């Protein structure tokens, strides 16, 4: 065989190809550079960090140093309650819970204002989905309720948060916003300012005073991060705001190889999918298999192109050695797609069964975690 | 003499010339048409109504009918805390207090967000002026504290108010806003939506439920009223909002015949001006006098062009007969500008002395009326 010995760095080349320009042109830095320090400061890195799913960052070193020296640190993230909670969302949930266990303060926004004003969704539906899909799944995945964990709806929060939206509107121009958002409607203008307030408000005195903030986002969200960092700079003197740090993660691929999204339910596995439905979707998934069994035995599969393998990496396997074994066996043509899918389906079914038991209970507890808007 | 007998309708011609197109093209109706009904329903009309200073309205008949049949009614108005409180503001204050005495609920917004974001004023200064100029003068002029009177800063109010700003952003377009506001910056977009929330929020359940709302404004503010009425229409089903009624008042003229404005302090009398300063400004004021005393005795003065006479009409004289006497004597050349200014100065001095005594006490009470933002 002419291929190099297998190493557990399955995404390295893909990352290079796809995200290299983020490193080169936008100042995002490779996450692997801070990974050794993560181990020193936090202990075990999250599997998404180890496996290169989280591939980039801005100012993450500042978060590590702040944490190490006992300063206050917070994670801020949000969900658009526009559809059901799927495995792409779980990737964010895993990060939230990882940081919560480390002792980070947690701020989670349910972007109901944006869902209503920009996506033009029904408001009642949005609130319901926010509660019974997003918050409930976070709880079922292990989000603890504690005094440092704040979940809120954009339309049901505190005065100083809204004050920021008003104040931020002073120091940006339409041209700056158009460069990021393209054609602007009033809804988008308000949503962008609101998003900046979502990210920056935890630093205010009212919300407990200054803390270092990290925002985990998908790579496509970096313009928002840059926009918010600019606003932080402009309000550094007046409000004491500092730039947020950020990490960048790969998207989860849909089961047909395109985007995983609520709007493509056939290629997206929701955490509330009945187990048989989820398994059926998984079994139809695009793999990195060859045209014939004979060919696959001879050349090996291509796990880099396999949505099943991605599922192992992102969700189904915590153990790196087992992941490496599957990777090797696939590459070497010893593990074929049929049995592999069967194995993944078993892991998925097991996960979903347990999760859905927790989810059912979690749905009774959402109001302990968040106060929904009255209308 | 070729002139017609004097009648007490000093503004009729001016109103016609200046405001006719508001009636013709924009659907504003002459206030004098509802004036008899005002007397029937409210009793004595405010002097500004009787004298045509309030010259136009939209849907005021609905306010009268609602009041008559015991339904809930409210006045909404606001102040931009960008400079000191002057007699142009007093005209609005007189209306507020008139409606408060009738039992209207009162909502007064201090537009500190707009002052900061659009006018780009210093935030601390804006809050201070809001409290110690606007609120204090309103109290000194007679605004009572009661459970139906609400004064608030835009950056320090209740959740459902901010929710409206977010929601309104969905159902308007940039083109609609540009038609009213011209070139838009994010600050203006947010300010316009906020102003609509200022006017419409009193109808929400949270703020006590539906009430008929009237907004007294200067004629130049009608585009905002139309904009807000459009928004009300678009949220009639979803939020139960109804169009506000409005009244339109003439501007007070500056003492040089141009605009009265904080930015032109030499031609504007502030209610906190030391009496001698105020009197000195008044004595320099532009009058409707003739070139020579001889000419004035022969032709009479022109009270319609006289800023002193306007001061009588708007502020200094409550008694219509006395006003009519001065008007006649001026028209007939019997009252010259010197003695007339002297008389006005005496009335002004008397008013200011009493007012400033009350103002000093009122400044200690502003925090009973309104909660200022913390930052």
């Amino acid at each position: 065989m002419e291929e190099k010995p297998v190493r557990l760095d399955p995404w390295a080349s893909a990352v290079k190809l796809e995200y290299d320009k983020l490193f080169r042109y936008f100042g995002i830095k490779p996450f692997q550079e801070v990974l050794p320090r993560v181990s020193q400061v936090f202990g075990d890195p999250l599997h998404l960090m180890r496996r290169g799913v989280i591939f980039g960052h801005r100012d993450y070193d500042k978060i590590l140093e702040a944490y190490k020296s006992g300063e206050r640190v917070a994670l801020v993230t949000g969900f658009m309650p526009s559809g059901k909670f799927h495995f792409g969302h779980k990737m964010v949930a895993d990060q939230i819970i990882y940081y919560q266990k480390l002792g980070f303060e947690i701020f989670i926004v349910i972007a109901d204002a944006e869902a209503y004003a920009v996506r033009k969704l029904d408001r009642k539906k949005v609130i319901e989905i926010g509660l019974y899909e997003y918050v409930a799944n976070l709880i079922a995945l292990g989000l603890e309720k504690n005094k440092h964990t704040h979940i809120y709806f954009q339309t049901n929060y505190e005065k100083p948060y809204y004050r920021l939206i008003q104040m931020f509107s002073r120091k940006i121009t339409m041209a700056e916003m158009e460069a990021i958002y393209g054609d602007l409607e009033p809804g988008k203008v308000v949503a962008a300012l609101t998003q900046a307030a979502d990210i920056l408000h935890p630093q205010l005195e009212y919300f407990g005073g200054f803390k270092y903030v990290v925002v985990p986002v998908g790579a496509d969200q970096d313009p928002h991060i840059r926009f918010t960092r600019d606003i932080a700079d402009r309000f550094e003197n007046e409000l004491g705001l500092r730039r947020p740090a950020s990490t960048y993660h790969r998207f989860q691929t849909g089961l047909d190889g395109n985007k995983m999204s609520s709007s493509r339910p056939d290629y997206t596995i929701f955490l509330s999918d009945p187990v048989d439905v989820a398994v059926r979707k998984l079994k139809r998934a695009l793999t990195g298999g060859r045209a014939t069994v004979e060919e696959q035995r001879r050349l090996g599969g291509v796990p880099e192109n396999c949505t099943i393998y991605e599922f192992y990496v992102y969700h189904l396997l915590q153990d790196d050695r087992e992941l490496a074994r599957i990777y090797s066996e696939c590459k070497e043509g010893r593990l074929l797609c049929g049995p592999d899918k069967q194995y993944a389906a078993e892991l998925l079914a097991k996960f979903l069964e347990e999760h859905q038991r927790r989810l059912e209970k979690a749905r009774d507890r959402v109001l302990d975690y968040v106060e929904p808007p009255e209308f």
Side-chain angles (χ1 to χ4, degrees), chain A residues 23-166:
Chain A
F23 298 148
R24 242 186 313 154
Y25 300 124
F26 293 108
I28 292 176
K29 291 187 179 152
F31 195 82
Q32 64 185 42
E33 291 179 8
V34 293
L35 199 52
R37 190 80 184 127
V38 169
S39 302
Q40 285 169 11
V41 174
F42 291 160
D44 282 344
L46 184 66
H47 67 288
L48 299 169
M49 296 171 174
R50 292 196 310 266
R51 297 172 183 174
V53 181
I54 294 169
F55 67 89
H57 78 92
R58 289 184 190 274
D59 285 345
Y60 199 76
D61 34 350
K62 291 189 184 160
I63 297 294
L64 290 165
E65 293 324 303
Y67 184 85
K68 184 156 183 297
S69 55
E71 294 187 84
R72 296 176 62 192
V73 283
L75 168 138
V76 178
T77 188
F79 295 96
M80 168 67 63
S82 59
K84 288 193 293 175
F85 192 95
H86 58 61
F87 275 89
H89 299 123
K90 176 178 171 292
M91 184 173 29
V92 177
D94 287 345
Q95 296 181 62
I96 297 172
I97 290 159
Y98 174 76
Y99 287 104
Q100 187 183 54
K101 284 189 178 137
L102 287 170
F104 277 59
E105 298 186 39
I106 306 291
F107 292 82
I108 302 168
V109 50
I110 308 296
D112 68 320
E114 187 174 342
Y116 174 87
V118 181
R119 305 278 187 103
K120 312 223 168 187
L121 301 173
D122 176 76
R123 183 147 167 72
K124 275 209 181 108
K125 191 89 190 151
V126 156
I127 294 170
E128 210 178 274
I129 290 176
L131 288 174
Y132 297 104
E133 280 291 324
Y134 290 84
V135 178
N137 273 292
L138 290 171
I139 298 172
L141 288 168
L143 186 75
E144 298 280 346
K145 180 169 149 44
N146 67 41
K147 65 174 178 173
H148 292 310
T149 300
H150 316 274
I151 311 182
Y152 65 94
F153 284 83
Q154 285 176 323
T155 66
N156 202 43
Y157 205 30
E158 308 288 337
K159 288 175 197 183
Y161 164 77
Y162 296 111
R163 191 175 300 150
L164 283 190
I165 299 172
Q166 294 277 0

